[in-house]
Amino acid sequence: MPKKKSTAHSPNSASPPSSPVSTSNDSCPTCNIDFYQDDHTPCIFCDHCLLWFHPTCAGLSDIEYEREKDSTEDWYCHNCAGIPDFSPATPLTSTWGDISGQAILSELSTAYSEIVGWRPNLFKLPKGNAGRAFVSEVNRLLNAWTVRTDLEMVAMLAVNTIGALLLQKPGIRSTQKENINALSRRLELWKAGKFSELLSESTAIQKKLRSGSTNSESARKSFARLMMAGRVNSAMRVLSTSQSAPLEVTPELIEKLQSKHPAAAPLSRKHLVSTVPAPSFENATFDSLDGVAIKRAAKSTRGGCGPSGMSSELWSRMLCSKAFTKEGDDLSFSLARLTRRLCTELVDPTTLSPLLACRLIGLNKNPGVRPIGIGEVLRRIIGRTVTQHLRSEIILSAGPLQLAAGQEGGCEAAIHAMNEYFERDETEAVLCADASNAFNVLNRMTCLINMRYLCPEFSIFLINIYRSPVKLFLYNGKYVLSCEGTTQGDNAAAPFYAISLRPLMEDLSSCSDFQLFYADDGASAGKLIKIREWWQKLCERGPGYGYFPNGSKSILLVKEQNRQKAIDIFAGTDVIITTEGVRYLGSPIGTSDFKNNFVCEKVEEWSKQVKFLSDIASSEPQCAYSGYTFGLSKKWLFLMRTTAGIADLFTPLETCIKDSFIPALIGPNTPPNIRVLCSLPARDGGLGIMIPTEQAAAEYDNSYQMTQPLKELILEQTLLISEKRSELLLWEAKGAKAAVLRVKRSAQNAEKEQARSLLTAFDQRLFEEISSRGASSWLTALPLVEHGFVLNKQQFRDGLLLRYNLPFEGIPSACACGKSNTLEHCLSCAIGGYVYLRHNNIRDLTANLLVEAGCKEVTVEPQLLPITGETFQFKSTITVNSARLDVSARSVWSDLDKVFTDIRVFNSLAPTNISQTLKNTIRRHEREKVLHYDARVVEVEKATFTPLVFSTTGVMGPRAEVFYKKLAELLAKKTGHTYNDSVRYIRLRLSFSLLKTVLISIRGFRGNKWTRFCSLTNDINLI
């Protein structure tokens, strides 16, 4: 049998001879340098593609080449056993307006190189023809890349340039009309290929921005602005006193950032998991990746924008807004096709460069620099879609001992498992390993090749986005190349890194009692001698995969009796040895004193943030409340769920919440006994402001039980599990979660009944209402300006006073009608027209929702057909010929049938209503409407009738529930949103409408206008 390796080239032969013979010229496919006849240059033969390579071109060291040369086993080149080649992009021969060919690429490249250094200054994409044309143009460009037209080479470049050139604000305070006119004009220039003209205009605008005032807004104002834009995480950073500030871009900073992003390391073939051709997968795996998945990913994508300046809000608006229903559907469909191509076909990396580029920011670590990358929003949407689609494959490939692959509760399970293992008598220590510059130095080439074997379905996508260096742009327009590791701002980075370390974990498994990884955070526990072996092998094998252990930051937590033994065994290493404790994945492990000190430091920091939030609540209570419930309270929840026995340590935090935060929300006359009521969930009549000292123990127990199946699997130390075992694990986890939720809900019901028992009979009836479905919707919504969900400080506090029947301040004691101005009277008095306003607002909102849902013949106050001899069973049926109902529409229950609705908003505090249970009260009002109109609508109009009954607290009747759920179904079908999102949207619109009109009726003016005007001071100068 002839050898498959040789020291000379053998051309024109599928099977190389045993001796070097050459009869013609040939070349190495990597460097294209010819092999000549009788040339004794070392070379190696690929048994799959049947080509010869120089050893250096094949990535072989001298030692590796000598070993392979004498081996009789098959050898495969990079293209066969590594990263395969791609198809070059379609040549650029198209015409774009007045320019064509390479001129298009040149002008777009010039524009892109300018905009990457610009400050964010884009206006909101307007609805109407101009906005739709913009979305359609983006869609056209994405399609050009997906279907490989002659614009493929510049399509992504154009997509990432169009926003900065067309959506620049014409002025700092430009109006909506000015923005629309500017967009329409610029679209014409864009289609004509006048990129240089657009660039000149936008550059002039940017120069004005740079020369303008840069006064920073107050923290309070910044927090409120971010919350009203739905940017909760950014608002939380305003509260933090430990956030690092971005550093000014200087040559020194660029040099430090460049050192954090080293050149690509050479491939080490001994770290490849296989050298045979990689397994294939069916492209049909991605057939179900559709526009719905794209929209779902877009809605959940938040954060800053990349170099193009196109924000998550812009992409979400283009894809999901009702203003661009058809265009958004087309765009999501195109993005789904683009994503499927990235997952199934190797593409030319030069066409993807603008999509993969990132914004790079250097943060001050004191000392040192922390590089932060912000990827393009479009890339993050695509990455999120792919990782969600391949979630099960990614988890299986990473294994149960690498918990950064998307396992639910993975981090908590890791902490519980590590704590339990460390507490065992036979365990001597635990080592928490730190890796230097972890994500930035992963051996990209090695890991991409390994990915073809570890997770074939994920590999093509990763090769497409990581096979070439990525530009990381700073705000001055300069950039740093990312040639190694993963890039920050990429949703695929964490699963890529997690799976890539699996071969390393397999190497380490033979010398470890217990090991666990969460991304780059590796840990080993057990006997000290085994931990030392694990550390030694990690230092030996890790660098080949791009994992460089840093002993000076790695901590060995050892039990007191084993301290000297640990010092002896780890002599000669930089590992820090302690008997106190260590922070593992954000939770303390060690002695009670270490845990207590760790928690107390955190509680002190959180208490300061609660006090800061209390100051904000004095002027922006709604934003402060939303910031607490959606952001700040989540910070200590993780520590509660992963650390046992720390409930009493949260006493200072509870004191701040009780004495500062809640009074700042409700007002100066906050009753002292309201704390328990506020701790209930909003749906149960509370505010969802839990009592930390009571919450901690319950949260820990819940987390421990919910993660029990995964924790037990970790303790088994099984590197890989079967798909069947994975499905069983998922089923067990769902069962554990359901059991915990049942117990939790039972405990909440008991707390609710206990709080209810302390109330008066009147307050119990009111409590029944506010704990009903829909009554708390306005509390659980973000204060989004876009949807009209913002309340001023008086409205928010009045809403809480009304919710808990607390006294109002600043309301006259007597009404203009002469009666006592009680809260019940304010809601019933007809003077001022506020009762009608409340009714009419719900009527008009319902009509608008019917139009949005695509219903036909929507009519407000339709007149009923006259009675011409018909008789009805009930005398209460309205028979007046001029009778009208509130709203009618077709295509609600069925395509052709018509529905009539009539609305009633009853005063919850009226004596006739408060004396009955809420259920009976609503039933009575619905029955009255049915008796008045149902028979006439059915028999005369040949249509259906639905009474829409609401209480002033926001509770709707059962028939209204059914009606609006059907409306949500139609709205979801029309807009492409999910049914749950549509239901939530409708509930919030109704809730805020009712709340605002109710509060207007309480605070609204009912006196004589002339009298009120004359009562003002006469010290007025009229000019």
Side-chain angles (χ1 to χ4, degrees):
M1 175 182 177
K3 291 185 178 181
K4 293 293 183 181
K5 319 300 185 293
S6 176
T7 56
H9 175 59
S10 178
N12 303 323
S13 175
S15 180
S18 58
S19 60
V21 177
S22 181
T23 59
S24 65
N25 294 346
D26 208 345
S27 61
C28 170
T30 302
C31 64
N32 292 322
I33 296 178
D34 290 339
F35 293 111
Y36 294 98
Q37 187 174 7
D38 300 326
D39 185 359
H40 290 273
T41 302
C43 52
I44 190 166
F45 182 78
C46 174
D47 291 273
H48 187 257
C49 65
L50 311 180
L51 296 174
W52 291 87
F53 295 81
H54 293 115
T56 54
C57 295
L60 296 177
S61 65
D62 292 342
I63 296 176
E64 290 173 328
Y65 170 69
E66 291 298 327
R67 183 177 66 247
E68 293 290 343
K69 181 183 70 172
D70 297 328
S71 173
T72 58
E73 296 181 0
D74 289 351
W75 179 88
Y76 301 96
C77 65
H78 288 178
N79 197 43
C80 298
I83 300 178
D85 289 335
F86 55 86
S87 301
T90 306
L92 182 58
T93 59
S94 180
T95 298
W96 189 322
D98 299 334
I99 56 178
S100 60
Q102 292 300 314
I104 302 174
L105 177 61
S106 176
E107 292 206 20
L108 281 174
S109 298
T110 300
Y112 182 76
S113 64
E114 287 290 325
I115 69 168
V116 294
W118 286 357
R119 293 171 59 183
N121 184 47
L122 307 188
F123 57 76
K124 179 181 176 181
L125 184 65
K127 58 184 178 181
N129 293 335
R132 288 194 292 270
F134 180 88
V135 179
S136 297
E137 179 64 11
V138 173
N139 183 41
R140 181 183 75 88
L141 294 170
L142 291 175
N143 271 326
W145 186 89
T146 304
V147 301
R148 304 197 62 183
T149 69
D150 50 4
L151 284 177
E152 181 187 8
M153 183 67 72
V154 297
M156 288 298 178
L157 186 61
V159 167
N160 287 278
T161 307
I162 189 172
L165 294 184
L166 271 60
L167 299 180
Q168 284 287 323
K169 293 179 182 177
I172 298 177
R173 297 177 181 84
S174 58
T175 64
Q176 178 80 342
K177 185 176 181 179
E178 290 172 336
N179 293 340
I180 293 173
N181 291 337
L183 177 57
S184 300
R185 176 177 53 81
R186 292 168 182 171
L187 271 168
E188 294 300 321
L189 294 175
W190 174 269
K191 292 176 181 178
K194 299 184 182 299
F195 306 125
S196 57
E197 189 173 334
L198 288 167
L199 180 62
S200 298
E201 178 186 351
S202 297
T203 302
I205 295 173
Q206 283 287 322
K207 287 181 179 178
K208 293 180 181 178
L209 291 176
R210 295 191 183 104
S211 62
S213 174
T214 58
N215 294 333
S216 59
E217 59 186 349
S218 66
R220 178 181 301 189
K221 194 172 182 181
S222 178
F223 178 87
R225 175 179 56 81
L226 292 169
M227 286 301 302
M228 286 188 283
R231 299 172 60 185
V232 179
N233 291 337
S234 298
M236 289 302 102
R237 286 193 284 271
V238 176
L239 297 181
S240 178
T241 57
S242 59
Q243 289 292 330
S244 302
L247 296 169
E248 183 181 354
V249 179
T250 61
E252 293 77 16
L253 175 63
I254 296 176
E255 184 178 352
K256 290 178 180 179
L257 291 174
Q258 184 63 69
S259 68
K260 295 283 187 178
H261 298 85
L267 170 70
S268 177
R269 297 185 68 88
K270 64 182 178 181
H271 289 88
L272 298 180
V273 297
S274 179
T275 57
V276 301
S280 60
F281 64 92
E282 292 294 334
N283 289 349
T285 303
F286 297 95
D287 285 351
S288 59
L289 195 157
D290 55 13
V292 175
I294 293 290
K295 289 187 176 185
R296 189 185 305 118
K299 290 177 185 176
S300 57
T301 300
R302 297 287 184 269
C305 50
S308 71
M310 296 179 73
S311 65
S312 57
E313 290 82 6
L314 173 58
W315 278 105
S316 181
R317 181 168 173 76
M318 288 195 294
L319 287 163
C320 307
S321 174
K322 296 188 298 294
F324 314 110
T325 303
K326 181 182 180 302
E327 291 77 14
D329 289 343
D330 293 342
L331 182 61
S332 64
F333 176 77
S334 298
L335 269 178
R337 286 204 305 168
L338 182 151
T339 305
R340 290 197 297 270
R341 184 186 174 198
L342 284 174
C343 293
T344 58
E345 179 185 337
L346 293 166
V347 303
D348 190 335
T350 59
T351 66
L352 294 176
S353 180
L355 173 69
L356 305 180
C358 293
R359 173 71 66 203
L360 184 61
I361 299 173
L363 296 184
N364 190 356
K365 286 178 63 177
N366 293 319
V369 175
R370 182 189 302 278
I372 298 296
I374 307 173
E376 287 290 357
V377 174
L378 179 57
R379 177 185 182 177
R380 280 148 47 196
I381 292 173
I382 293 171
R384 184 183 294 273
T385 304
V386 174
T387 53
Q388 287 296 320
H389 188 77
L390 295 176
R391 185 170 181 266
S392 59
E393 288 85 352
I394 289 171
I395 292 174
L396 269 177
S397 300
L401 302 185
Q402 171 56 272
L403 297 167
Q407 298 93 329
E408 187 174 1
C411 190
E412 295 177 20
I415 295 170
H416 292 315
M418 184 60 73
N419 268 303
E420 183 172 324
Y421 197 87
F422 181 68
E423 294 299 327
R424 293 180 179 179
D425 293 337
E426 64 270 19
T427 302
E428 296 179 344
V430 56
L431 172 63
C432 295
D434 180 83
S436 298
N437 201 18
F439 277 74
N440 290 328
V441 294
L442 186 74
N443 191 309
R444 188 179 291 182
M445 181 64 69
T446 300
C447 293
L448 285 176
I449 294 175
N450 284 342
M451 193 63 60
R452 299 184 66 195
Y453 304 91
L454 300 175
C455 189
E457 299 87 353
F458 199 25
S459 61
I460 300 298
F461 177 76
L462 291 174
I463 290 172
N464 279 328
I465 63 176
Y466 280 111
R467 78 185 307 155
S468 295
V470 174
K471 292 181 179 179
L472 311 178
F473 287 97
L474 296 112
Y475 270 112
N476 64 352
K478 297 185 181 298
Y479 63 86
V480 170
L481 279 179
S482 171
C483 304
E484 191 75 328
T486 64
T487 54
Q488 296 186 52
D490 174 26
N491 301 87
F496 177 30
Y497 192 94
I499 299 174
S500 296
L501 289 193
R502 199 189 86 193
L504 174 60
M505 295 170 63
E506 292 174 351
D507 293 342
L508 300 172
S509 61
S510 61
C511 55
S512 172
D513 292 329
F514 179 91
Q515 69 167 338
L516 194 57
F517 275 79
Y518 190 90
D520 62 310
D521 291 318
S524 177
K527 299 293 184 182
L528 278 165
I529 190 66
K530 296 289 286 184
I531 296 175
R532 181 66 176 84
E533 292 177 14
W534 182 87
W535 173 255
Q536 182 65 32
K537 197 159 190 178
L538 181 66
C539 294
E540 293 172 357
R541 295 288 293 171
Y545 298 103
Y547 189 98
F548 295 87
N550 185 353
S552 62
K553 291 186 178 181
S554 299
I555 301 176
L556 179 69
L557 173 61
V558 62
K559 293 178 179 178
E560 183 63 40
Q561 64 269 27
N562 299 314
R563 178 180 177 84
Q564 187 57 49
K565 182 179 179 181
I567 294 174
D568 294 339
I569 291 176
F570 278 83
T573 68
D574 295 333
V575 174
I576 301 170
I577 300 175
T578 179
T579 58
E580 296 298 318
V582 63
R583 173 179 172 174
Y584 178 64
L585 301 182
S587 181
I589 297 177
T591 64
S592 297
D593 288 343
F594 178 83
K595 291 181 180 180
N596 292 346
N597 291 335
F598 182 89
V599 175
C600 287
E601 289 180 5
K602 291 290 185 181
V603 168
E604 182 180 1
E605 179 183 350
W606 293 329
S607 298
K608 292 179 181 178
Q609 294 179 12
V610 170
K611 290 180 180 178
F612 186 19
L613 208 56
S614 302
D615 293 338
I616 294 175
S618 62
S619 59
E620 295 287 353
Q622 186 190 19
C623 291
Y625 172 75
S626 296
Y628 179 91
T629 55
F630 285 98
L632 186 57
S633 62
K634 304 295 188 296
K635 290 188 175 183
W636 53 78
L637 188 62
F638 175 79
L639 191 61
M640 288 177 174
R641 293 176 65 85
T642 56
T643 312
I646 59 173
D648 293 340
L649 303 179
F650 283 90
T651 301
L653 181 61
E654 166 59 18
T655 301
C656 288
I657 294 171
K658 181 180 179 181
D659 297 342
S660 299
F661 185 62
I662 293 179
L665 291 178
I666 299 177
N669 298 325
T670 304
N673 60 346
I674 203 171
R675 180 66 184 101
V676 175
L677 199 58
C678 291
S679 67
L680 297 175
R683 67 171 180 270
D684 290 338
L687 294 180
I689 305 176
M690 307 294 288
I691 301 174
T693 51
E694 298 178 1
Q695 182 186 12
E699 289 295 343
Y700 179 82
D701 292 340
N702 292 342
S703 174
Y704 192 84
Q705 293 178 42
M706 291 172 66
T707 59
Q708 184 76 9
L710 182 55
K711 186 204 70 173
E712 293 297 333
L713 186 59
I714 293 171
L715 292 173
E716 290 178 17
Q717 287 293 285
T718 304
L719 278 170
L720 285 175
I721 60 174
S722 65
E723 186 175 354
K724 185 176 180 179
R725 178 71 187 277
S726 178
E727 292 174 355
L728 178 61
L729 176 67
L730 183 61
W731 181 82
E732 291 175 345
K734 286 182 178 179
K737 184 176 181 180
V740 167
L741 291 178
R742 283 195 298 269
V743 173
K744 184 176 181 180
R745 189 60 188 149
S746 177
Q748 289 175 344
N749 288 336
E751 293 172 358
K752 176 182 174 181
E753 288 304 314
Q754 183 181 2
R756 184 178 179 275
S757 64
L758 302 176
L759 301 175
T760 64
F762 181 88
D763 287 342
Q764 284 184 3
R765 173 62 178 76
L766 185 60
F767 185 74
E768 181 188 5
E769 286 207 35
I770 64 175
S771 58
S772 298
R773 183 185 299 176
S776 303
S777 296
W778 65 275
L779 268 176
T780 58
L782 283 170
L784 301 176
V785 175
E786 181 181 2
H787 297 300
F789 296 161
V790 177
L791 303 172
N792 63 38
K793 55 186 176 182
Q794 186 180 70
Q795 287 175 321
F796 184 80
R797 292 198 177 101
D798 284 353
L800 295 182
L801 297 178
L802 179 65
R803 182 177 176 84
Y804 297 120
N805 194 30
L806 299 176
F808 283 73
E809 293 184 348
I811 298 179
S813 58
C815 179
C817 67
K819 295 183 180 180
S820 178
N821 201 29
T822 62
L823 183 58
E824 184 275 323
H825 179 76
C826 287
L827 297 178
S828 301
C829 183
I831 296 180
Y834 300 121
V835 175
Y836 299 105
L837 174 66
R838 195 159 61 226
H839 168 276
N840 293 346
N841 210 42
I842 295 295
R843 178 200 65 194
D844 296 341
L845 174 57
T846 301
N848 289 334
L849 289 171
L850 285 165
V851 173
E852 288 182 26
C855 297
K856 309 298 183 184
E857 297 182 22
V858 178
T859 308
V860 174
E861 293 193 353
Q863 184 170 344
L864 298 178
L865 293 174
I867 303 298
T868 56
E870 292 92 345
T871 59
F872 306 102
Q873 179 181 359
F874 302 106
K875 294 182 179 180
S876 57
T877 301
I878 302 296
T879 57
V880 179
N881 283 338
S882 60
R884 295 176 181 269
L885 292 180
D886 285 322
V887 182
S888 68
R890 290 195 189 275
S891 306
V892 178
W893 305 115
S894 61
D895 289 341
L896 300 178
D897 291 339
K898 198 170 188 178
V899 62
F900 288 81
T901 67
D902 204 53
I903 295 164
R904 175 175 290 180
V905 183
F906 66 86
N907 179 5
S908 305
L909 302 179
T912 55
N913 295 323
I914 204 72
S915 60
Q916 295 180 314
T917 64
L918 177 62
K919 184 177 180 180
N920 289 339
T921 302
I922 291 177
R923 184 182 298 169
R924 173 168 56 84
H925 287 289
E926 281 191 341
R927 181 168 174 77
E928 287 179 5
K929 287 290 183 183
V930 169
L931 290 175
H932 286 162
Y933 297 108
D934 187 70
R936 179 169 179 176
V937 170
V938 171
E939 296 180 24
V940 179
E941 300 287 341
K942 306 303 181 185
T944 57
F945 173 73
T946 303
L948 304 179
V949 174
F950 299 84
S951 74
T952 49
T953 55
V955 181
M956 66 176 75
R959 298 199 181 193
E961 285 268 4
V962 174
F963 177 82
Y964 286 109
K965 284 182 179 179
K966 179 62 178 179
L967 195 55
E969 182 182 322
L970 297 173
L971 191 62
K973 184 178 180 180
K974 175 76 182 298
T975 62
H977 295 178
T978 64
Y979 171 76
N980 289 338
D981 287 345
S982 299
V983 168
R984 172 79 170 157
Y985 170 74
I986 290 175
R987 285 191 184 280
L988 288 175
R989 291 283 301 272
L990 292 169
S991 180
F992 275 94
S993 175
L994 279 169
L995 178 67
K996 289 180 179 181
T997 52
V998 165
L999 296 180
I1000 289 173
S1001 66
I1002 295 173
R1003 294 282 183 182
F1005 175 67
R1006 288 188 170 92
N1008 185 289
K1009 297 181 181 179
W1010 176 250
T1011 303
R1012 186 175 184 183
F1013 177 78
C1014 293
S1015 67
L1016 298 174
T1017 176
N1018 292 322
D1019 188 16
I1020 300 175
N1021 292 320
L1022 301 179
I1023 300 176

